[in-house]
């Protein structure tokens, strides 16, 4: 059953805007390479998949970003429904 997960990567120790964007781009690249369906937004990226796949993705982001960024916040929110929930059904009326 697919659920959606919103992920926000917030570097706390960066030398400026360019470094912040570079680090965020690195985190997004991990999501892109996961093969899961995703939607990049201005403040977070929403990803759709099985719960175990999403947990694995969070672990990948943590493992790959920790050596690159001295300190960061990784916010994760899961939208779970008994019958599943997709990105498309959540945004259909806005597209």
């Amino acid at each position: 059953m697919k659920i959606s997960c919103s992920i926000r990567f917030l570097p706390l120790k960066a030398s400026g805007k360019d470094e912040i964007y570079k680090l965020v781009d690195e985190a997004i690249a991990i999501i892109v390479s996961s093969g899961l369906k995703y939607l990049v937004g201005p403040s977070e990226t929403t990803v759709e998949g099985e719960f175990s796949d999403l947990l694995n993705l969070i672990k990948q982001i943590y493992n790959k970003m920790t050596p690159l960024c001295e300190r960061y916040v990784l916010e994760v929110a899961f939208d779970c429904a008994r019958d599943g929930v997709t990105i498309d059904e959540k945004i259909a009326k806005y597209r």
Side-chain angles (χ1 to χ4, degrees):
M1 168 181 37
K2 292 191 177 189
I3 61 174
S4 65
C5 172
S6 293
I7 302 169
R8 180 185 291 192
F9 177 81
L10 301 167
L12 297 179
K13 294 223 173 179
S15 62
K17 184 171 68 171
D18 289 341
E19 185 181 359
I20 290 171
Y21 286 151
K22 180 182 174 192
L23 290 165
V24 170
D25 287 345
E26 288 284 341
I28 292 171
I30 297 164
I31 294 169
V32 171
S33 70
S34 74
L36 297 170
K37 183 174 183 173
Y38 67 92
L39 178 64
V40 176
S43 298
E44 63 187 22
T45 298
T46 303
V47 185
E48 177 183 299
E50 300 293 326
F51 186 66
S52 60
D53 294 333
L54 295 170
L55 289 178
N56 185 47
L57 175 59
I58 299 305
K59 186 176 179 179
Q60 287 177 36
I61 293 169
Y62 171 80
N63 287 337
K64 291 182 180 177
M65 295 310 297
T66 299
L68 300 177
C69 188
E70 182 179 342
R71 186 169 182 192
Y72 61 90
V73 173
L74 182 59
E75 292 181 358
V76 180
F78 294 97
D79 184 352
C80 308
R82 193 174 296 137
D83 297 325
V85 61
T86 66
I87 293 171
D88 290 337
E89 77 180 72
K90 291 170 72 173
I91 64 170
K93 70 180 182 181
Y94 303 107
R95 303 286 174 177

